[in-house]
Amino acid sequence: MKARSLSIAGLVALSLVSLSALAHPGAHDEEKEIPKTCEDLKDTKRFTDDSAYPEVKALKEKCGAQGKPVKAEEAKKPAPEAKKTN
């Protein structure tokens, strides 16, 4: 009977110790929001930049296309003139 009481007391003690080992807020990386704009994509502290998300991958492609340098041939062409209406 004494062995049974000791084993139950041991299980109770272990369960209390295991509760203290549970993860608590701030101990691990928190979930970051998914960016919606190119500005959000630059803020990696608040928003995720993980390309595993299809939304982030598409946004990276879109924002990358906006930032591409102009080709030398296109840079030499004069800007189209606006039509004048009287």
Side-chain angles (χ1 to χ4, degrees):
M1 195 68 170
K2 188 175 182 179
R4 184 174 181 197
S5 298
L6 284 175
S7 62
I8 290 175
L11 288 174
V12 169
L14 284 174
S15 67
L16 291 174
V17 169
S18 68
L19 286 176
S20 67
L22 292 177
H24 51 279
H28 302 282
D29 291 336
E30 296 179 13
E31 287 289 321
K32 293 183 179 182
E33 297 178 42
I34 294 180
K36 304 269 190 265
T37 65
C38 293
E39 298 299 320
D40 293 346
L41 190 60
K42 293 177 186 176
D43 184 7
T44 56
K45 290 183 181 179
R46 184 173 172 202
F47 298 96
T48 184
D49 63 344
D50 187 3
S51 295
Y53 295 100
E55 301 93 343
V56 175
K57 186 176 181 180
L59 188 61
K60 280 185 175 183
E61 290 173 0
K62 176 186 166 195
C63 295
Q66 290 175 353
K68 286 185 180 176
V70 179
K71 292 181 182 177
E73 295 172 5
E74 294 176 8
K76 292 179 183 177
K77 293 180 185 177
E81 295 180 22
K83 293 182 180 179
K84 296 181 181 178
T85 57
N86 290 334

